[in-house]
Amino acid sequence: MKQYEYMAKGILAQYGIPIAPGQLVESPDAAAEAVRDLGPVALKAQVLVGGRGKAGGIQFAQTPQEGAHVAQHMLGMLLKGYRVEKLYAEQKLPIEKELYISVTTDRNAKKPLVMASSAGGVEIEDVSDDQIVKRHVDPAIGVLPYFGREMAQALGLHDVVFKEFSELVVKLYRIYREKDAELVEINPLAVVDGHLIAADARLNIDDSALYRHQDVARVDEGSDLEQKVHEIGLAYVELDGDIAVMANGAGMAMATLDAIQYFGGRPANFLDAGGGASVEPTAEALGVLVTMKPKAILVNIFGGITRCDDVAQAILQVRNTVGIPVPLVVRLVGTNEKEGVALLNEAGIQAYSDMAEAAERAVGLAKEAL
Amino acid sequence: MKQYEYMAKGILAQYGIPIAPGQLVESPDAAAEAVRDLGPVALKAQVLVGGRGKAGGIQFAQTPQEGAHVAQHMLGMLLKGYRVEKLYAEQKLPIEKELYISVTTDRNAKKPLVMASSAGGVEIEDVSDDQIVKRHVDPAIGVLPYFGREMAQALGLHDVVFKEFSELVVKLYRIYREKDAELVEINPLAVVDGHLIAADARLNIDDSALYRHQDVARVDEGSDLEQKVHEIGLAYVELDGDIAVMANGAGMAMATLDAIQYFGGRPANFLDAGGGASVEPTAEALGVLVTMKPKAILVNIFGGITRCDDVAQAILQVRNTVGIPVPLVVRLVGTNEKEGVALLNEAGIQAYSDMAEAAERAVGLAKEAL
Amino acid sequence: MAILLTHQDRVIVQGITGNQGRFHTRQMLAYGTPVVGGVSPTKGGSNVEGVPVFDSVKEAVENTGATASIVFVPAPFAKDAAFEAMENGVRLIVMIPEHIPVQDSIDIVNRAKTTGSTIIGPNTFGVISPHERSKMGIMPNHIYQPGPVGVVARSGTLSYEIAFSLSQSDLGQTTVVGMGGDPVAGQTFITILEQFRHDPATQCVVMVGEIGGSAEEEAAEYLSVLGKPVVAYLAGRAAPAGKRMGHAGAIIERGKGTLESKEKALKAHGAEVVTMPWQVADAVRSALAR
Amino acid sequence: MAILLTHQDRVIVQGITGNQGRFHTRQMLAYGTPVVGGVSPTKGGSNVEGVPVFDSVKEAVENTGATASIVFVPAPFAKDAAFEAMENGVRLIVMIPEHIPVQDSIDIVNRAKTTGSTIIGPNTFGVISPHERSKMGIMPNHIYQPGPVGVVARSGTLSYEIAFSLSQSDLGQTTVVGMGGDPVAGQTFITILEQFRHDPATQCVVMVGEIGGSAEEEAAEYLSVLGKPVVAYLAGRAAPAGKRMGHAGAIIERGKGTLESKEKALKAHGAEVVTMPWQVADAVRSALAR
């Protein structure tokens, strides 16, 4: 779960990492007020996407009037597909130099990874590897100050910035660990008046660990529909095709999209009904697919924990309540396959056992519906 | 640094360990009030010494009148040499069973050690080793719940008490670790209405770690004089002899006491002037020795980090300001020995280089002073 | 023959009294797995499906000589369960739960390096060795059969799909193992391929991968060492581009993680890469014929 | 010959720019110790007593090939310094600071088991090997001389007293080492005695102990393995009874920790126990004559 910049900075500040004075702004008046309080500001769109600056998501205001004017323009704008609803008005910093630092999990090494560069800023992705200092953390030890000093030295830092950077690494790792972060990133980590300050910040919290962070603000960056399906507890992503898809297991769901594409169709969504979903959430998920008004629906189930008869019951439940007014193709094999197929057949729904056949059929039906 | 029972229980409660309702009481009126609030109570003398119950340090009161009466009697009493200044009035518990648990540091294993017994209570010291479950903690892992369950099982616990005990081990270890405890001990750990509750508690904090626990109440259990010397930053213990002693290093100080005893004298104190004390604290410590009005003073210095000329200067400073009106024997060898001896000789003070000779001389002078 | 799990392993079930633990204990017993005990604190002395229940792994190991454990406890308690197994000398630990916090997985997987335990998962369907009539996992029993093919997969149902199609084509399996779908897991393609390399019964290996991460790219270089034919199917050709993990993700991946980069790397090291799951069986048959 | 520290060790000083670090660097150089570098963050590039200063242990080790480090940083930073040395492969680490929190010492000492480093201290005067003309510590230079006696002590000044009296009696030392006065330290009497056992130059060992703890009792049993005469002096005959650490202290100690129990255990295993420090030299002379 991503945190907005202003939330991430709030957490950095709790851990004693310097941030610039700033205010959250949701109206032109508030923006004008912010300039009165802080002096010249950067107005930064609070959206969960990178490359915000280049896309016009960071603008400056010298006067309250200008602040109101800029905010008027920015609030409500679409930025890389995201609607801007909040701005963060931050005192404009006379940045001398931009560094980069992040702590994330290296899946291959299975360890936390601290990365830093003295060539920070928006171009960091283009910086060559030899300008980036990478160090893995032994999770049984964590990050002690010497670790930070060794990185500071590798970056060629000196004096005050050397010391501040060393301490910052310790704090940033504590955030990563104590907040169950997938990523905590400061870019740019600015040098202002010879001191370090976090000029931008990202913090992604591990969804699986949210239960132990009741104090962290909840953010769901999905579309309204995505949020609705997430609330049922299922993984869901909107796509731009016309064949709605439900499968069990993320890999199976991806393979189903692949199969649709393979036969020349276009999937409308990614929906993982879970490895062991029972009747109720499966029915709810299918209900959502119906509301999308696709040209066809493909349900692809290989029953392991998921029982085929449960899936069949969910399908019948949806058909008998909200109704399924689009062509439906069901592929059903595995645990309790016979029972499930029998249930569907009784209700006049054909069930395929071959995945390719089912996918091809769904694509065909969607084309006929054109 | 030891914590009083009521302080220790406050910290247990912060970590979610159940304690009985109780109030700190410093007057008979407050004791009566406590009985009105809590019903029948145990009035427990807040002293930093074991075996309090047997010595009359725990008494009971059924009514407010009785509470006032008992408190009147207890407040100000001497308990094993400690003056009782505060009582802890605790709701009387219908204890079904008494367990024991502690977390401490095992110096030989160099690891934290959790000890527990289902034969808790005042007799725990006499319980045989096979009734005590001992487990070392790997500090890189800490105590996870399974560790507590394994101990609960070894103790033969069941059901609710099994679960509560398992969780309590995790919490107690967290206190030990997060509060830098040398010892955290619950004895008895009582079973009341089928649930665990800490009926008494001890918590000793590592003096060296106090700097990172500004929130923990400071307690100095020494006499007034001991506290005064501790404030200078030196280790000091009062003894009942008549020869005041200052030496550098704890081992050296102990050896000096041994030497005095060897020659038939009686040391008045233990004072470790530290491995590297400079002029000012050394002079302050010597000043304290003078105020004790001993029959003789023996200063025994083997200069390593401590410089003999610093010690000589400290001695002269005390003689020239407060004065040293008792026989003084100085033994001075090691770093800057020549300079130190010269300074003393100039001032008419003889310096010995042989420890045995110096100790014998000090004992002789003390006997002459009788 | 098989890898990881053989019939000599004696298996305990942590969390045996929960719904899942109970159901899959029955399934594992039905398949032939020697499930010798279960663990469920304060339920010690009872039994599930005829299997004795103990209060702790320590007690279970002492009483049964268990060498392997399958963990079914809820995700918030999974770290505790894994450490309990590791610290009590269990050599093979299959972690079924999904949604285990990544920091917990990091602790588990790194601790295993010290204890020498083998962690499968978390968020895995487990491991099954049809020759040995033993499984530790939640896969359906009927879709596997003994044979010469080793299968290693990141995803559960997709691996069932493929194992089933192999079996239907009479291409049985030595061992089918799920690495687990979580970002941090005990095994990688490489560690599993190493095992298949040393298993004489395995004549061909099927890798079932996905977009994201760079596990497939890392594994590609090992294929030349493996010395056995590899058929790979990777899901995600039509999947939406993953949302990036800040600049850090871009720096780590440096162009890896896409389906193209994975397939390219695997092909470059001699793997037969197919584009649809139903093409796997034919490719395996051809590989075995060569 | 010597134990722990030989002339082949190349020594760095962590905290070299502090008062103590600076002073004792001079003393160590004067004694002959090959001090090859110092560490003091942000002071890299400067020098102290002609010794180059580096920003980190990593840099110091890379540039000097240092094998040993002596730590002079203030107690709150000692854990960091010790881990820095360990993680950078320093094999011998002498921890001078007193008042290091015990939990920090526990972490240091237990980590050293993994890294293979040898920790002397904390709260030690260090180690000196007169034959090798090398010392890492804060002991006065002039009181030692080469000879056949190994000395291991818990207390600093008391060991100086005894080493000095040995030297005055022409009984030189192979190595004198301080275990440190803190509750948790890197070495015990046993680990040091093991080293003296394997040092052919050491013909007699002097143990300087104290009341409290049970290190002397633990060591007593090792004396029969040692195969060399031992003279022991324990301080604290006249010391006040230590204040007990709750019931836990009583349970752990079970009658150990008193001067009587220590002396009894040592005598039972063949040590010559003397009652005053000035009796040590004569006892050593007799032991060597036997």
Side-chain angles (χ1 to χ4, degrees):
Chain A
M1 184 189 71
K2 292 178 182 170
Q3 296 273 285
Y4 287 104
E5 177 195 7
Y6 74 94
M7 296 171 172
K9 283 189 172 167
I11 289 173
L12 295 190
Q14 279 169 27
Y15 279 79
I17 295 175
I19 58 172
Q23 294 173 12
L24 194 64
V25 154
E26 298 179 62
S27 71
D29 282 357
E33 185 65 33
V35 183
R36 270 190 286 274
D37 290 354
L38 302 169
V41 299
L43 287 162
K44 304 160 91 175
Q46 297 300 288
V47 287
L48 299 170
V49 68
R52 173 180 65 166
K54 283 186 186 162
I58 301 180
Q59 301 191 23
F60 299 93
Q62 299 289 330
T63 64
Q65 292 77 355
E66 197 182 354
H69 182 74
V70 170
Q72 179 80 48
H73 166 71
M74 291 180 78
L75 285 165
M77 76 191 277
L78 262 186
L79 206 70
K80 293 190 161 187
Y82 288 82
R83 182 77 57 194
V84 177
E85 291 171 354
K86 288 174 181 158
L87 304 174
Y88 188 59
E90 193 173 63
Q91 201 168 70
K92 218 182 147 200
L93 302 171
I95 294 178
E96 294 154 22
K97 184 173 167 54
E98 296 187 329
L99 312 178
Y100 169 89
I101 184 165
S102 67
V103 187
T104 184
T105 304
D106 182 337
R107 295 169 175 221
N108 293 320
K110 300 161 189 201
K111 285 183 177 173
L113 176 66
V114 186
M115 296 196 290
S117 175
S118 50
V122 290
E123 309 294 349
I124 184 70
E125 275 138 297
D126 305 324
V127 160
S128 67
D129 267 349
D130 59 4
Q131 282 190 273
I132 296 171
V133 176
K134 298 181 187 181
R135 283 204 52 172
H136 287 106
V137 180
D138 180 337
I141 300 181
V143 168
L144 290 168
Y146 80 86
F147 185 105
R149 292 195 301 269
E150 289 179 3
M151 290 197 81
Q153 191 173 25
L155 291 173
L157 306 180
H158 296 287
D159 304 323
V160 174
V161 171
F162 181 107
K163 285 186 181 169
E164 289 182 352
F165 183 88
S166 308
E167 288 162 16
L168 188 138
V169 178
V170 173
K171 290 170 184 165
L172 212 63
Y173 181 78
R174 279 186 56 213
I175 294 174
Y176 164 83
R177 181 78 187 177
E178 294 175 8
K179 296 295 180 190
D180 277 297
E182 290 173 327
L183 168 73
V184 54
E185 182 176 71
I186 303 176
N187 186 36
L189 174 62
V191 180
V192 175
D193 291 337
H195 293 279
L196 290 178
I197 193 162
D200 195 1
R202 272 176 204 233
L203 176 63
N204 300 3
I205 311 277
D206 178 4
D207 288 332
S208 297
L210 283 176
Y211 72 90
R212 53 190 183 199
H213 300 285
Q214 296 308 323
D215 54 324
V216 169
R218 292 326 194 228
V219 176
D220 189 333
E221 57 176 302
S223 68
D224 292 350
L225 189 62
E226 284 173 340
Q227 294 191 23
K228 198 171 154 187
V229 190
H230 295 164
E231 273 163 30
I232 309 171
L234 300 177
Y236 182 83
V237 182
E238 273 178 23
L239 300 173
D240 57 3
D242 50 20
I243 303 175
V245 177
M246 181 170 88
N248 61 327
M252 193 66 163
M254 277 195 282
T256 309
L257 306 191
D258 292 351
I260 288 173
Q261 199 178 57
Y262 181 81
F263 290 110
R266 290 168 56 241
N269 69 291
F270 169 95
L271 172 55
D272 172 9
S278 53
V279 178
E280 213 42 58
T282 308
E284 283 190 71
L286 187 56
V288 170
L289 296 191
V290 171
T291 64
M292 288 166 63
K293 302 195 172 52
K295 299 243 158 48
I297 295 177
L298 173 58
V299 175
N300 183 15
I301 301 295
F302 196 104
I305 307 185
T306 305
R307 287 163 39 180
C308 291
D309 52 341
D310 279 354
V311 173
Q313 266 173 16
I315 291 169
L316 297 181
Q317 186 178 312
V318 173
R319 205 182 63 163
N320 300 338
T321 52
V322 296
I324 304 182
V326 291
L328 172 70
V329 179
V330 181
R331 186 269 184 144
L332 207 55
V333 275
T335 308
N336 292 10
E337 174 179 335
K338 269 185 210 161
E339 294 84 343
V341 170
L343 277 170
L344 290 182
N345 287 350
E346 279 167 34
I349 301 174
Q350 195 197 337
Y352 292 80
S353 69
D354 187 87
M355 176 171 160
E357 220 176 300
E360 194 168 11
R361 175 77 181 139
V363 172
L365 287 169
K367 285 192 176 148
E368 283 169 28
L370 283 173
Chain B
M1 183 189 71
K2 293 178 182 171
Q3 295 274 285
Y4 287 104
E5 177 195 7
Y6 75 93
M7 295 170 172
K9 283 189 171 165
I11 289 173
L12 295 188
Q14 278 170 28
Y15 280 79
I17 295 175
I19 58 171
Q23 294 173 10
L24 195 64
V25 154
E26 297 180 60
S27 71
D29 282 357
E33 187 64 32
V35 183
R36 270 189 287 273
D37 289 355
L38 303 169
V41 297
L43 287 161
K44 303 160 91 175
Q46 297 299 290
V47 286
L48 298 170
V49 67
R52 171 180 68 164
K54 283 186 184 161
I58 302 180
Q59 301 190 25
F60 299 94
Q62 299 291 329
T63 63
Q65 292 76 359
E66 197 182 355
H69 182 75
V70 170
Q72 178 80 49
H73 166 70
M74 290 179 78
L75 285 165
M77 77 191 276
L78 261 186
L79 206 71
K80 293 189 160 189
Y82 288 82
R83 182 78 58 194
V84 177
E85 290 171 356
K86 287 173 183 157
L87 304 174
Y88 188 59
E90 192 173 64
Q91 202 167 68
K92 221 185 146 199
L93 302 170
I95 293 178
E96 294 155 24
K97 186 172 165 54
E98 297 188 328
L99 311 178
Y100 169 89
I101 184 165
S102 66
V103 187
T104 183
T105 304
D106 182 339
R107 296 171 174 221
N108 293 319
K110 300 162 189 200
K111 284 183 177 172
L113 176 66
V114 186
M115 296 197 290
S117 176
S118 49
V122 289
E123 310 293 348
I124 183 71
E125 275 139 296
D126 304 324
V127 161
S128 67
D129 267 348
D130 59 5
Q131 284 191 268
I132 296 171
V133 176
K134 299 181 188 181
R135 283 203 53 172
H136 287 106
V137 180
D138 181 337
I141 300 180
V143 167
L144 289 167
Y146 79 86
F147 185 105
R149 294 195 300 270
E150 289 180 2
M151 289 197 83
Q153 191 173 23
L155 291 173
L157 305 181
H158 297 286
D159 304 322
V160 174
V161 171
F162 180 106
K163 286 186 181 170
E164 290 182 352
F165 182 88
S166 308
E167 289 161 16
L168 187 139
V169 178
V170 174
K171 291 170 185 165
L172 213 62
Y173 181 77
R174 279 188 55 214
I175 294 174
Y176 164 82
R177 182 78 187 175
E178 293 175 8
K179 296 294 180 191
D180 276 298
E182 291 173 325
L183 167 74
V184 54
E185 182 177 70
I186 303 177
N187 185 38
L189 174 62
V191 180
V192 175
D193 291 336
H195 293 279
L196 290 178
I197 192 164
D200 195 1
R202 273 177 203 231
L203 176 62
N204 300 2
I205 311 277
D206 178 4
D207 289 331
S208 297
L210 284 176
Y211 72 91
R212 53 191 183 199
H213 301 285
Q214 296 308 321
D215 54 325
V216 169
R218 290 327 194 229
V219 176
D220 189 334
E221 57 175 303
S223 68
D224 291 351
L225 189 61
E226 284 173 343
Q227 294 191 23
K228 196 169 155 186
V229 189
H230 295 164
E231 274 164 29
I232 309 174
L234 301 177
Y236 181 83
V237 183
E238 272 177 24
L239 301 173
D240 56 4
D242 50 20
I243 302 175
V245 177
M246 182 171 89
N248 63 327
M252 193 65 163
M254 279 197 281
T256 310
L257 306 190
D258 291 351
I260 288 173
Q261 199 180 56
Y262 182 82
F263 289 110
R266 291 166 56 239
N269 69 291
F270 168 95
L271 172 56
D272 172 7
S278 52
V279 179
E280 212 42 60
T282 309
E284 282 190 72
L286 187 56
V288 171
L289 295 190
V290 171
T291 65
M292 290 165 62
K293 301 195 174 55
K295 297 242 157 49
I297 295 176
L298 172 57
V299 175
N300 184 16
I301 301 295
F302 196 104
I305 308 185
T306 304
R307 285 162 41 179
C308 291
D309 51 341
D310 279 351
V311 174
Q313 263 171 16
I315 292 170
L316 296 181
Q317 184 178 316
V318 174
R319 205 181 65 162
N320 299 339
T321 53
V322 297
I324 304 182
V326 290
L328 172 71
V329 179
V330 181
R331 188 266 183 148
L332 207 56
V333 276
T335 308
N336 291 11
E337 176 180 333
K338 268 186 210 160
E339 294 83 342
V341 171
L343 277 170
L344 290 182
N345 287 349
E346 279 167 32
I349 301 173
Q350 194 196 336
Y352 292 80
S353 69
D354 188 85
M355 175 170 163
E357 219 176 301
E360 194 169 13
R361 174 79 181 139
V363 173
L365 286 170
K367 285 195 175 145
E368 284 171 26
L370 282 172
Chain C
M1 294 286 285
I3 65 166
L4 297 164
L5 175 67
T6 75
H7 66 279
Q8 285 159 347
D9 279 300
R10 298 170 71 75
V11 175
I12 55 172
V13 179
Q14 285 177 262
I16 196 170
T17 56
N19 280 341
Q20 271 215 52
R22 204 175 278 271
F23 175 79
H24 288 292
T25 296
R26 187 161 57 237
Q27 296 295 318
M28 286 190 284
L29 286 168
Y31 193 72
T33 311
V35 179
V36 296
V39 177
S40 185
T42 78
K43 306 266 173 58
S46 62
N47 82 79
V48 167
E49 305 289 330
V51 170
V53 177
F54 301 95
D55 278 331
S56 66
V57 171
K58 183 181 166 70
E59 193 191 10
V61 168
E62 283 168 3
N63 282 276
T64 68
T67 59
S69 178
I70 179 165
V71 174
F72 281 107
V73 305
F77 310 112
K79 175 179 169 180
D80 182 36
F83 271 75
E84 182 175 6
M86 288 192 280
E87 301 305 312
N88 282 289
V90 176
R91 72 155 199 92
L92 177 66
I93 302 166
V94 177
M95 305 285 300
I96 300 299
E98 56 180 347
H99 303 310
I100 294 179
V102 174
Q103 295 303 321
D104 291 2
S105 296
I106 289 176
D107 288 347
I108 294 166
V109 166
N110 282 280
R111 179 68 189 169
K113 291 177 199 162
T114 304
T115 64
S117 305
T118 298
I119 307 286
I120 312 280
N123 190 12
T124 177
F125 59 91
V127 54
I128 182 165
S129 298
H131 285 273
E132 313 277 322
R133 293 303 298 169
S134 194
K135 78 163 196 178
M136 293 174 71
I138 57 173
M139 62 289 281
N141 289 358
H142 66 280
I143 61 174
Y144 303 93
Q145 69 178 53
V149 186
V151 181
V152 52
R154 280 169 76 176
S155 158
T157 41
L158 192 50
S159 83
Y160 308 161
E161 179 79 39
I162 285 167
F164 188 53
S165 73
L166 286 169
S167 294
Q168 285 191 312
S169 306
D170 231 8
L171 296 162
Q173 304 89 41
T174 50
T175 296
V176 179
V177 55
M179 299 194 310
D182 280 1
V184 171
Q187 305 302 312
T188 60
F189 278 118
I190 295 181
T191 58
I192 302 295
L193 292 175
E194 276 172 357
Q195 301 255 351
F196 279 132
R197 179 181 170 214
H198 293 109
D199 176 42
T202 301
Q203 295 168 31
C204 175
V205 177
V206 174
M207 287 172 64
V208 184
E210 291 174 9
I211 49 162
S214 59
E216 290 82 0
E217 284 96 333
E218 308 290 330
E221 287 195 21
Y222 187 78
L223 298 191
S224 28
V225 182
L226 178 64
K228 301 184 181 186
V230 169
V231 174
Y233 164 66
L234 310 183
R237 196 168 303 273
K243 279 159 191 166
R244 266 207 190 146
M245 289 270 275
H247 301 281
I251 294 172
I252 293 180
E253 296 191 347
R254 291 281 188 220
K256 295 180 185 174
T258 65
L259 207 75
E260 294 67 40
S261 73
K262 288 172 193 296
E263 293 191 340
K264 192 177 158 201
L266 289 168
K267 278 180 189 160
H269 289 87
E272 173 76 16
V273 177
V274 299
T275 52
M276 286 294 130
W278 54 82
Q279 298 164 341
V280 169
D282 281 351
V284 168
R285 193 188 313 283
S286 307
L288 287 172
R290 272 197 295 275
Chain D
M1 293 287 286
I3 66 167
L4 297 165
L5 175 66
T6 74
H7 66 278
Q8 283 158 348
D9 279 300
R10 297 170 71 75
V11 175
I12 55 172
V13 179
Q14 284 176 264
I16 196 170
T17 56
N19 280 339
Q20 269 214 54
R22 203 175 278 273
F23 176 79
H24 288 292
T25 297
R26 187 160 57 235
Q27 296 295 317
M28 287 190 284
L29 286 169
Y31 192 71
T33 312
V35 180
V36 296
V39 177
S40 186
T42 76
K43 306 267 173 56
S46 63
N47 84 78
V48 167
E49 305 289 332
V51 169
V53 177
F54 301 94
D55 277 332
S56 67
V57 171
K58 185 181 165 67
E59 192 191 11
V61 167
E62 284 168 3
N63 281 277
T64 67
T67 60
S69 178
I70 180 165
V71 174
F72 280 108
V73 305
F77 310 111
K79 176 178 168 180
D80 182 37
F83 271 74
E84 182 176 7
M86 288 192 281
E87 302 305 314
N88 281 290
V90 176
R91 68 154 202 92
L92 177 65
I93 302 166
V94 176
M95 304 285 300
I96 300 300
E98 56 180 346
H99 304 309
I100 294 179
V102 174
Q103 295 302 322
D104 290 1
S105 296
I106 288 175
D107 289 346
I108 294 167
V109 166
N110 282 280
R111 180 68 189 170
K113 291 177 197 160
T114 304
T115 63
S117 304
T118 298
I119 306 286
I120 311 279
N123 189 11
T124 177
F125 59 91
V127 53
I128 182 166
S129 298
H131 285 274
E132 313 277 321
R133 293 304 297 172
S134 193
K135 78 164 195 176
M136 293 175 72
I138 57 172
M139 63 288 281
N141 289 358
H142 65 280
I143 61 174
Y144 303 92
Q145 68 179 53
V149 185
V151 180
V152 51
R154 282 170 74 177
S155 159
T157 40
L158 192 50
S159 83
Y160 307 162
E161 179 79 39
I162 285 166
F164 187 53
S165 73
L166 286 170
S167 293
Q168 284 191 311
S169 304
D170 231 8
L171 296 162
Q173 304 89 41
T174 49
T175 296
V176 179
V177 55
M179 300 194 309
D182 280 2
V184 171
Q187 304 303 311
T188 60
F189 278 118
I190 296 180
T191 58
I192 300 296
L193 290 176
E194 275 172 355
Q195 300 256 352
F196 278 133
R197 180 183 168 212
H198 295 108
D199 176 41
T202 301
Q203 295 169 33
C204 174
V205 177
V206 173
M207 288 173 64
V208 184
E210 291 175 10
I211 50 163
S214 59
E216 290 82 0
E217 284 97 331
E218 309 290 330
E221 286 194 23
Y222 188 78
L223 297 193
S224 27
V225 181
L226 177 64
K228 299 183 181 185
V230 168
V231 173
Y233 164 66
L234 310 183
R237 197 170 300 274
K243 277 155 193 172
R244 266 208 191 144
M245 289 269 277
H247 300 282
I251 295 171
I252 293 180
E253 296 193 346
R254 291 284 190 215
K256 294 179 185 174
T258 65
L259 206 77
E260 292 70 38
S261 73
K262 288 171 191 297
E263 291 191 340
K264 194 177 156 199
L266 289 168
K267 277 180 189 161
H269 289 86
E272 172 76 15
V273 177
V274 300
T275 52
M276 286 295 130
W278 54 81
Q279 298 163 343
V280 169
D282 280 352
V284 168
R285 191 187 313 284
S286 307
L288 287 172
R290 272 197 297 274

